[in-house]
Amino acid sequence: MKEIKLKAFAKINLSLDVCGLLDNGFHEVSMVMQQILLCDDVKVRWTEDSSVQGINISLSTNRYYLPTDERNLAYKAALLMAEKYAADINGSISIDIVKRIPVAAGLAGGSSNGAAVIHALNMLWDLKLPLQKLCDTGAKLGSDVPFCIMGQAAANDNLKPVYSKDPLACHCALATGTGTELTPLQGLKSHLVLSKPAISVSTAEVYKGIDSEHIPERPDNKELIHALRTNNRKLVEKNMINVLENFTLKRYPVIVYTKNKIQQLCSCEGVLMSGSGPTVYGLCKNIREAKELCRRMLEDNKESFWTRTTW
């Protein structure tokens, strides 16, 4: 029996622009994604057993309401890796997930769990696959999975030595196309607070609805990338625009309330909804401000956290 434990980090969107609808029905996007320290713990155990026919997969989690079968992205990741790389071996994959990242929150928690399983089986089976190959595999599961794979390679202590020379190992990236065409960027160094209202928002509903919304302001991602490279915080904040807010904020007043409260309590202007929501985050000057802001946000949203970006 062999096992590996990885941190499955959440992400935030520093920007998110929807550029149009592709022929395949997916939306074309241009967005900057940043990894943060808030994470789930994913432990994967591999037991080779010739008495087992094929690969058996089991999954457990500390959240009773989460599926533990094919509906879970971590389980799907194990299935996919088994189909691609385990044709000649028999045994059992056991996955245990300790969840901290809010579910259905715009933070890529499920995608990050799936990415961690891909990394873990690559290590446990000694496949020695490069990051590009792992990202190509992850893209079959969801558009956020490749970025999570890249970020975990840069931030997990037991992966960093393996991928230290791989240019795709990064904490921040520009995502284009359907979100899987990724360009590594210099990331943002900042403490921050996340606050998720007690609602769920359908990503499919938001992307369908945005097609009929007027978009008055879009991020300038070229300017944002320059701002990150030159550590120009004001220019970063200027381009922290998520066009999906034009749909989501109109339909979910509690997200508007959360964003307004963070803006009132936070000393900077960097406040934005992440992904399709409903989580809102605010950048903070230091850890002291982040802790105090989190304390205030917990009065309204029990899923509020202080954390920082990874670097």
Side-chain angles (χ1 to χ4, degrees), residues 24-38:
N24 59 9
F26 289 96
H27 285 82
E28 182 181 4
V29 298
S30 176
M31 57 188 178
V32 175
M33 295 194 286
Q34 169 71 55
Q35 186 175 248
I36 60 176
L37 270 183
L38 179 66

Side-chain angles (χ1 to χ4, degrees), residues 239-272:
N239 287 288
M240 283 175 56
I241 297 169
N242 179 349
V243 301
L244 298 182
E245 287 187 344
N246 291 282
F247 176 86
T248 310
L249 297 188
K250 291 178 182 178
R251 284 151 182 84
Y252 298 95
V254 68
I255 304 178
V256 179
Y257 174 84
T258 298
K259 186 174 183 182
N260 287 343
K261 184 172 180 178
I262 294 177
Q263 285 175 325
Q264 291 165 6
L265 296 173
C266 201
S267 64
C268 72
E269 298 176 0
V271 180
L272 195 68

Side-chain angles (χ1 to χ4, degrees), residues 3-23:
E3 69 176 40
I4 185 170
K5 185 176 179 180
L6 296 172
K7 293 185 182 300
F9 299 95
K11 65 83 184 170
I12 55 173
N13 289 88
L14 297 181
S15 69
L16 197 163
D17 196 10
V18 178
C19 308
L21 195 61
L22 300 170
D23 292 339

